[in-house]
Amino acid sequence: MKRNFWRDNGLTIALMGLFLASIVGHALAGWGYYNHQQIEHHQPPAGLIHYLASGQFISSVFENWESEFLQMSVYVVLTAFLYQRGSPESDDPDISPQARKGQTTRQRNAALEKVGGNRVLLWLYANSLGLALFALFLLSFVLHLLGSTKEAAEDALSHGQLPPSVLNHLVSAEFWFQSFQNWQSEFLSVAALVVLGIFLRQENSPESKPLSEPNSKTGG
């Protein structure tokens, strides 16, 4: 059967299209705001390329990516062993440990054959999603730190002050204010999804239970 590329990849295409539109909008709006600040400080407006390399833009981009990847990595790992009865985002806590262990053992044995019996590769494969998301979080965290440090240095120099080092900025209230204001919203949104999914439905969504299922039904 001939595959339909657009149908088979529609979700990713739509999400990446929204991402690209959003980051272009972010860049253009940020550029306008940056130049407004420049004029207020009696500085010449910056070109778009200069703005894209500025600490303000780099920090604002990776500050948000950092929180998203942290949210998803923590969510993926926590759902592996914690439960919320009635939520489509959770495994059923009433499945017996013996049945769960038997299913996991069969899956691990099948996967072990795929990696040639190498248990280190099996562990990496078995945890690859969480590890990849956490690695993306760490990368975004570092880039946020570097961008935020650059932004703080640019601001300090414009006021005739010494720019902070990366280490000094890492322990500053400003940096952690930027991080925690995003982290808290990400964890709240996931908690809301987990809990609201108990009582509410979205027809045809894999993130929702079927309309006919009772609120006590756990899992999708």
Side-chain angles (χ1 to χ4, degrees), residues 55-66:
Q56 184 183 97
F57 180 73
I58 294 170
S59 176
S60 64
V61 168
F62 290 106
E63 174 186 339
N64 286 285
W65 292 18
E66 164 198 315

Side-chain angles (χ1 to χ4, degrees), residues 4 22 27 33 76 83 85 89 96 113 116-117 122 128 130 132 147 151 167 182 198 212:
N4 185 310
S22 298
Y33 175 65
V76 165
Y83 307 98
R85 185 177 298 282
E89 302 296 319
S96 70
E113 294 181 8
L122 175 62
S128 55
E151 181 181 15
L167 183 59
N182 286 289
I198 300 173
S212 60

Side-chain angles (χ1 to χ4, degrees), residues 85-98:
R85 185 177 298 282
S87 176
E89 302 296 319
S90 170
D91 279 340
D92 191 341
D94 290 333
I95 296 177
S96 70
Q98 292 81 7

Side-chain angles (χ1 to χ4, degrees), residues 11-87:
L11 182 58
T12 299
I13 292 168
L15 289 170
M16 290 305 297
L18 289 168
F19 161 72
L20 291 173
S22 298
I23 199 165
V24 169
H26 176 194
L28 295 177
W31 180 36
Y33 175 65
Y34 182 82
N35 280 334
H36 176 72
Q37 291 180 309
Q38 289 288 96
I39 293 170
E40 282 191 338
H41 290 86
H42 307 291
Q43 299 292 327
L48 179 60
I49 300 302
H50 175 84
Y51 171 68
L52 295 179
S54 70
Q56 184 183 97
F57 180 73
I58 294 170
S59 176
S60 64
V61 168
F62 290 106
E63 174 186 339
N64 286 285
W65 292 18
E66 164 198 315
S67 61
E68 297 293 342
F69 288 126
L70 175 64
Q71 172 212 66
M72 295 309 300
S73 61
V74 169
Y75 178 63
V76 165
V77 172
L78 289 183
T79 53
F81 59 88
L82 296 181
Y83 307 98
Q84 174 55 59
R85 185 177 298 282
S87 176

Side-chain angles (χ1 to χ4, degrees), residues 137-174:
F137 158 70
L138 288 178
L139 177 61
S140 299
F141 182 88
V142 170
L143 291 172
H144 168 212
L145 173 61
L146 295 177
S148 184
T149 303
K150 184 177 182 180
E151 181 181 15
E154 291 166 350
D155 185 63
L157 290 171
S158 70
H159 290 86
Q161 301 170 349
L162 289 175
S165 67
V166 173
L167 183 59
N168 285 339
H169 191 65
L170 175 62
V171 298
S172 70
E174 178 185 358

